[in-house]
Amino acid sequence: MPFIKDVYWNIKKKNYELLKSIHELKSIGIEITNACNLHCKHCYMNSIQNKFKDNLTQEEWINFFIDLRKNFGNKVLIQITGGEPLIREDIFIILKELKNLGFKISLATNGVLLDDQKLDLLSPLLTSLSISLDGFSNSHNYLRDGNTYDKVLENIKKLTRHNIEYLSIKTVIYKKNIEELAPFYQFLKTLKIDLWHVLPMELLGRGVMNKQEELSNQEYEKLCSFIDKIKKDKDKNMRVMFGEEADYFMSDNACDCLKYKLCSAGISSCGILYNGDVVNCIQEDRSTLSPQGNIKIENFKNIWDNKFLEHRSLDYRYCINHKK
């Protein structure tokens, strides 16, 4: 069995090398704002509560998307995040322009600002919607630093009355909610969601200030074992994803996520921050961030074609090399 895995892994790496040589842009993470209505303990970008600073304007974002379509077509998936995207008063204008340009759009939100009116506006615009729910009430409210659980859960249930094409729930796992994984998983199975995205808390942004909440090695292994177990659950009505395994990941074991992950950063994906900085990945460590360029002063096509060359070398793997 190990021999078969190694053979398959080598085939995947060969395919990965081909993707590097082509480096076709397939998705962009768009940090549409650095402002947020919450002050979450794990926030990797240490978002500024209810304050906008150096955010690209509506016009700048729309001009960028028009230019993107001109140079790359509209098959690029646009993944909108923040901060909290819905805190921008012009977010629906931006989303409508993206839709008119023919892009597929996903949006990640903490779910607090949603209501029926916003859901009516969002449903025809989005390909997918992701909402954060970090365990049951006490665990969720503690991590999100506010009494938001009931409101978020109410909005998740409202989605059954709206035609959102694909709904996912993101759950950050930390000290307080590691023990409620099994009952929380059973609870999620009663909701009409398409994907449960499970992410261990990382020491980035405000996570560094709350490092006591990070999982121990033993707890991390417990989480991995749980993920491996529920992925084999034939009764589940939703997909389960661990970490960022979707990026060319190949393993039956969740604990192998980093070892067997072939990251897409600079090869088929990248991120653009609220101020226009082009980065490898939205979830980079902001304390050591080194942007590849900025769309306010440089054409994005030039950045994509010429600034990610290191990532496309055969022996470079961003998620491995970046953390050395």
Side-chain angles (χ1 to χ4, degrees):
M1 188 67 178
F3 173 75
I4 295 174
K5 176 181 281 190
D6 288 341
V7 171
Y8 187 39
W9 174 240
N10 287 329
I11 293 172
K12 295 285 282 188
K13 285 200 292 185
K14 288 293 183 183
N15 183 54
Y16 185 58
E17 291 171 4
L18 177 61
L19 291 170
K20 284 189 172 192
S21 67
I22 298 171
H23 55 265
E24 178 187 3
L25 181 63
K26 295 182 178 180
S27 67
I28 303 180
I30 300 291
E31 192 176 85
I32 204 75
T33 180
N34 65 337
C36 190
N37 55 321
L38 299 181
H39 193 265
C40 303
K41 289 179 170 63
H42 67 292
C43 181
Y44 62 84
M45 68 172 293
N46 198 5
S47 61
I48 304 170
Q49 195 165 19
N50 295 318
K51 292 182 180 179
F52 296 86
K53 183 180 180 181
D54 301 325
N55 283 213
L56 264 63
T57 65
Q58 171 189 314
E59 182 181 10
E60 287 172 324
W61 277 122
I62 290 176
N63 285 340
F64 164 73
F65 292 130
I66 291 172
D67 188 61
L68 182 70
R69 189 183 189 280
K70 176 183 176 182
N71 289 306
F72 295 89
N74 58 11
K75 302 303 181 184
V76 179
L77 174 63
I78 306 298
Q79 300 171 306
I80 304 288
T81 184
E84 170 51 49
L86 297 179
I87 206 170
R88 283 190 69 132
E89 294 182 357
D90 59 359
I91 186 62
F92 293 103
I93 296 174
I94 295 172
L95 292 176
K96 285 178 182 177
E97 185 60 33
L98 273 168
K99 182 70 173 180
N100 290 337
L101 289 168
F103 287 104
K104 290 185 176 181
I105 314 161
S106 70
L107 184 139
T109 173
N110 59 41
V112 176
L113 299 178
L114 288 172
D115 54 33
D116 282 313
Q117 182 180 9
K118 288 187 177 71
L119 288 170
D120 281 336
L121 292 171
L122 286 173
S123 57
L125 300 175
L126 300 181
T127 302
S128 64
L129 176 66
S130 174
I131 299 179
S132 296
L133 191 68
D134 305 296
F136 293 114
S137 180
N138 289 339
S139 298
H140 176 88
N141 289 340
Y142 175 78
L143 189 66
R144 298 286 160 177
D145 201 20
N147 188 22
T148 64
Y149 176 82
D150 290 339
K151 177 65 173 176
V152 173
L153 183 56
E154 175 190 350
N155 285 330
I156 291 171
K157 292 179 177 179
K158 279 181 181 179
L159 285 162
T160 61
R161 303 197 298 269
H162 299 268
N163 296 317
I164 298 294
E165 187 174 335
Y166 195 88
L167 173 62
S168 65
I169 287 179
K170 286 190 178 182
T171 302
V172 174
I173 306 300
Y174 68 111
K175 290 281 188 185
K176 194 174 181 66
N177 63 6
I178 183 72
E179 298 302 329
E180 61 187 40
L181 280 172
F184 187 63
Y185 167 64
Q186 294 300 327
F187 170 68
L188 290 182
K189 286 169 66 174
T190 68
L191 303 177
K192 295 181 178 180
I193 65 172
D194 300 290
L195 170 70
W196 185 28
H197 190 179
V198 181
L199 304 110
M201 178 178 170
E202 295 188 70
L203 296 187
L204 298 172
R206 274 198 296 275
V208 175
M209 294 177 271
N210 295 284
K211 61 183 180 180
Q212 73 279 2
E213 302 299 344
E214 184 188 30
L215 298 178
S216 66
N217 289 340
Q218 184 178 7
E219 288 167 330
Y220 182 82
E221 290 175 2
K222 179 179 180 179
L223 170 60
C224 290
S225 296
F226 175 77
I227 294 297
D228 293 340
K229 179 182 177 181
I230 64 174
K231 281 191 172 183
K232 299 174 183 176
D233 180 5
K234 295 181 180 179
D235 293 328
K236 70 177 183 293
N237 52 359
M238 61 187 177
R239 183 180 163 223
V240 176
M241 188 170 89
F242 179 65
E244 305 302 330
E245 65 179 44
D247 288 352
Y248 314 118
F249 175 70
M250 189 283 298
S251 179
D252 293 329
N253 303 312
C255 276
D256 289 337
C257 191
L258 185 59
K259 180 180 178 182
Y260 287 108
K261 179 189 175 189
L262 298 174
C263 182
S264 66
I267 300 164
S268 61
S269 69
C270 67
I272 300 180
L273 305 188
Y274 64 93
N275 62 354
D277 281 344
V278 180
V279 297
N280 309 290
C281 175
I282 288 290
Q283 291 183 293
E284 284 196 68
D285 185 347
R286 301 302 166 97
S287 66
T288 59
L289 189 65
S290 181
Q292 302 289 347
N294 187 290
I295 62 172
K296 292 179 72 171
I297 57 177
E298 189 174 356
N299 180 270
F300 175 73
K301 188 177 188 308
N302 181 61
I303 297 172
W304 178 254
D305 288 344
N306 301 303
K307 299 295 183 69
F308 288 94
L309 301 182
E310 180 184 33
H311 298 66
R312 296 161 191 167
S313 64
L314 296 183
D315 59 347
Y316 187 90
R317 286 170 60 195
Y318 174 70
C319 286
I320 298 292
N321 296 69
H322 183 65
K323 294 185 178 183
K324 284 184 177 179

